[in-house]
Amino acid sequence: MPQFQFDHPFFQPPEVREPDQAAATSRLQAGPRLVGGTSYESRADLDAHQVQTLARASLVGLEAARRVIFGWQRQGLSLALIYTRGIAPCARLLGQWWYADDINFAQTTLASTHLHRLLHEFSAEFVREEPCATQNLSLLLLTEPGAQHSLGLFMLGEFFRRAGWSVTLGIPPDVGEFERMFRAEWFDAIGVSVSTDRHLDTLEKLLPQLKATSVNLDMHIFVGGPMAQLEPQRLRWHCAELMAEDAPGTVRRVSESLASRVV
């Protein structure tokens, strides 16, 4: 059954068991950013060793990964920096460990689920960290058909939400559902995350057709994801803008593209 989430608060990430739900709720209400007492360090960063620490913690469990992030917050790191310089490279590192047979698929999936859950837990705090006025712009973010993971897409949606966009996330199980989601309603922009080469030829032919028959004929389409990093030349399609940047850079470029059209 496809997952189709309208406006992020309705999104439910994969379940992760907590030994004590009351304790988990208390942790969410008393994170270091919520109680104050810390300030952002503008020159702070995360190095490869710290990313490895988070990766190992995510393999241990949700609470272990949560403690690492809380520790970074107490050091004065913003959630935006933690997302882009900590969690995103951590997810890539887990993938590298899997490809190298250092960890198995089940371990990779569970660790990624823990990271995904943490993004959901920190969502409200992340948006409050740098609030922005509503932009009256709507965005649909889709994985490629049959995608196994949506962590990166979820994180990108968080940055768009913080910039004032209304965001819908879609995880279509097949090409037919991908088409249905694309045509569901008016969207100012649609982003497609491509992780593999399984549907490259199909998407290259399909996207121009979908745009030509969509509710908004002037919508902005962009593509990104792991394939944009590995083989960007294969995603240079005439109907879509290639995004190989991080989440803040993607938000900036898409927003600028739409603003230039209005002018």
Side-chain angles (χ1 to χ4, degrees):
M1 182 177 180
Q3 294 174 298
F4 196 37
Q5 302 85 30
F6 290 91
D7 294 331
H8 167 75
F10 296 100
F11 174 78
Q12 293 298 319
E15 279 298 319
V16 177
R17 288 178 177 266
E18 283 280 2
D20 186 338
Q21 189 60 41
T25 301
S26 176
R27 279 193 296 273
L28 296 183
Q29 294 173 344
R33 183 68 57 221
L34 297 180
V35 299
T38 58
S39 59
Y40 300 144
E41 171 55 61
S42 60
R43 289 181 290 183
D45 201 353
L46 294 170
D47 58 27
H49 174 73
Q50 290 169 298
V51 172
Q52 290 177 11
T53 298
L54 178 60
R56 294 191 181 97
S58 69
L59 288 165
V60 172
L62 177 62
E63 178 57 28
R66 187 186 286 120
R67 285 198 299 268
V68 171
I69 292 180
F70 275 178
W72 290 346
Q73 284 189 293
R74 293 189 183 98
Q75 294 171 24
L77 275 65
S78 69
L79 281 175
L81 187 145
I82 289 171
Y83 281 17
T84 58
R85 302 289 294 172
I87 295 179
C90 174
R92 290 194 293 269
L93 180 60
L94 289 169
Q96 292 169 10
W97 286 352
W98 174 43
Y99 286 129
D101 288 328
D102 294 326
I103 58 177
N104 59 38
F105 180 76
Q107 290 174 304
T108 306
T109 299
L110 186 60
S112 297
T113 299
H114 291 148
L115 296 177
H116 203 155
R117 185 72 194 186
L118 288 172
L119 289 180
H120 183 73
E121 290 182 359
F122 282 102
S123 178
E125 183 181 350
F126 176 75
V127 173
R128 287 197 301 269
E129 189 176 83
E130 191 175 312
C132 182
T134 300
Q135 302 297 311
N136 294 319
L137 293 170
S138 60
L139 170 70
L140 171 64
L141 292 175
L142 290 171
T143 63
E144 65 180 321
Q148 298 296 313
H149 301 287
S150 58
L151 175 66
L153 198 69
F154 182 88
M155 182 184 295
L156 177 60
E158 290 292 88
F159 276 90
F160 270 102
R161 284 204 324 119
R162 191 163 83 158
W165 289 62
S166 172
V167 179
T168 298
L169 301 178
I171 309 174
D174 51 44
V175 174
E177 189 65 12
F178 182 94
E179 294 185 47
R180 188 194 70 78
M181 292 178 178
F182 198 103
R183 294 191 174 108
E185 59 179 85
W186 175 286
F187 294 105
D188 293 288
I190 293 182
V192 181
S193 176
V194 185
S195 301
T196 69
D197 60 1
R198 290 178 301 171
H199 298 287
L200 288 182
D201 292 339
T202 299
L203 290 174
E204 183 176 9
K205 297 175 182 177
L206 184 60
L207 288 178
Q209 299 172 11
L210 291 175
K211 181 175 182 179
T213 57
S214 66
V215 179
N216 176 16
L217 297 179
D218 196 39
M219 74 167 58
H220 181 86
I221 302 177
F222 63 94
V223 294
M227 284 296 295
Q229 301 288 339
L230 297 173
E231 298 184 80
Q233 71 281 0
R234 301 185 68 182
L235 296 180
R236 298 191 186 282
W237 303 331
H238 73 275
C239 69
E241 183 178 4
L242 176 64
M243 296 291 179
E245 302 179 357
D246 60 11
T250 297
V251 174
R252 184 169 54 254
R253 283 184 58 183
V254 173
S255 299
E256 290 173 353
S257 295
L258 287 178
S260 65
R261 291 185 183 188
V262 173
V263 176

